[in-house]
Amino acid sequence: MRAELGIAPDALVALFAGKMISRKRPLDIADALRILTRTPRGPVDREIIVIMAGDGVLRATLDAVAAELGGALRMVGFADQERLPRLYAASDLYLHPAERDPHPLAVKEAVLCGLPVVVSDRVGSTGPTDDVRPGRNGRVHPVGDVDALARILGELRARPDVLARMAQESEKVIGDIELAASVDGFLRAVAHVRDTARRG
């Protein structure tokens, strides 16, 4: 997929997949990318490429930004069930800056693919037992804070070791969110409530 899109093997590739509507805030990603392209790269900073898969009312605006950014933003349109897994596999990182999203499927898919995730603080997939675990497999930025998002991306492009640890943590999270783990957690919660009621 990287070869198909003309992306260098050593680039840091971040993916956004979803509707290009204001609630999902894909323009925040484009603005953060603008900041990074204006910032001189350090000797260890990787080139950063963002792939955006999807369509919606903001598509034309994002296409125009992509033209300005000279290849740093790749618009690939709607990705079906055959192409989307290939995009996850080609990526190093998943981005979801939405202003309101209770529990997006794309975030879970990214984690199940072993990707680190960067989300806004309005995405409900975040917590110590959820898909995105801050400080482990994820980073969280205040919604709409493009500078904070750019800082996170800047850190991760300069620290492949941190990104690799986050990916390893996503692989560990997979075991915690599979069905058997969910059933086990539910049964432990029921047992705890039962035991508390007996003591009370």
Side-chain angles (χ1 to χ4, degrees), residues 14-82:
L15 173 67
F16 167 87
K19 292 180 181 175
M20 294 178 184
I21 56 176
S22 58
R23 181 173 63 84
K24 299 282 188 176
R25 301 190 71 92
L27 290 171
D28 287 1
I29 298 172
D31 289 340
L33 203 50
R34 273 193 181 109
I35 292 169
L36 288 173
T37 56
R38 289 196 304 259
T39 306
R41 277 170 49 192
V44 297
D45 290 351
R46 298 160 71 186
E47 177 186 20
I48 184 163
I49 305 289
V50 174
I51 298 172
M52 284 199 174
D55 217 335
V57 295
L58 296 176
R59 174 66 191 268
T61 303
L62 287 159
D63 282 340
V65 174
E68 290 172 27
L69 290 174
L73 179 60
R74 308 292 176 94
M75 307 298 293
V76 298
F78 174 76
D80 61 19
Q81 291 178 334
E82 182 179 326

Side-chain angles (χ1 to χ4, degrees), residues 1 17 53-54 77-89 105 109 113:
M1 178 58 75
F78 174 76
D80 61 19
Q81 291 178 334
E82 182 179 326
R83 194 173 194 214
L84 190 55
R86 295 177 62 217
L87 290 171
Y88 284 121
L105 178 60
E109 289 173 344
C113 290

Side-chain angles (χ1 to χ4, degrees), residues 18-195:
K19 292 180 181 175
M20 294 178 184
I21 56 176
S22 58
R23 181 173 63 84
K24 299 282 188 176
R25 301 190 71 92
L27 290 171
D28 287 1
I29 298 172
D31 289 340
L33 203 50
R34 273 193 181 109
I35 292 169
L36 288 173
T37 56
R38 289 196 304 259
T39 306
R41 277 170 49 192
V44 297
D45 290 351
R46 298 160 71 186
E47 177 186 20
I48 184 163
I49 305 289
V50 174
I51 298 172
M52 284 199 174
D55 217 335
V57 295
L58 296 176
R59 174 66 191 268
T61 303
L62 287 159
D63 282 340
V65 174
E68 290 172 27
L69 290 174
L73 179 60
R74 308 292 176 94
M75 307 298 293
V76 298
F78 174 76
D80 61 19
Q81 291 178 334
E82 182 179 326
R83 194 173 194 214
L84 190 55
R86 295 177 62 217
L87 290 171
Y88 284 121
S91 302
D92 301 298
L93 180 66
Y94 187 77
L95 307 176
H96 203 84
E99 70 183 40
R100 180 173 38 87
D101 219 335
H103 214 274
L105 178 60
V107 169
K108 183 175 288 295
E109 289 173 344
V111 172
L112 290 172
C113 290
L115 292 179
V117 183
V118 177
V119 298
S120 81
D121 57 3
R122 301 287 180 85
V123 172
S125 305
T126 306
T129 60
D130 215 322
D131 298 336
V132 183
R133 301 179 186 185
R136 291 184 57 194
N137 73 327
R139 295 282 191 275
V140 180
H141 64 88
V143 68
D145 190 337
V146 173
D147 290 324
L149 177 56
R151 281 194 300 274
I152 291 169
L153 294 176
E155 175 206 355
L156 295 178
R157 79 172 176 179
R159 296 290 306 274
D161 57 321
V162 171
L163 198 64
R165 280 199 302 272
M166 290 172 69
Q168 289 170 351
E169 289 295 330
S170 273
E171 290 174 9
K172 291 177 187 173
V173 168
I174 292 168
D176 294 343
I177 61 178
E178 64 183 3
L179 181 59
S182 297
V183 170
D184 182 58
F186 176 77
L187 293 176
R188 281 188 279 113
V190 169
H192 174 73
V193 170
R194 181 198 62 214
D195 294 344

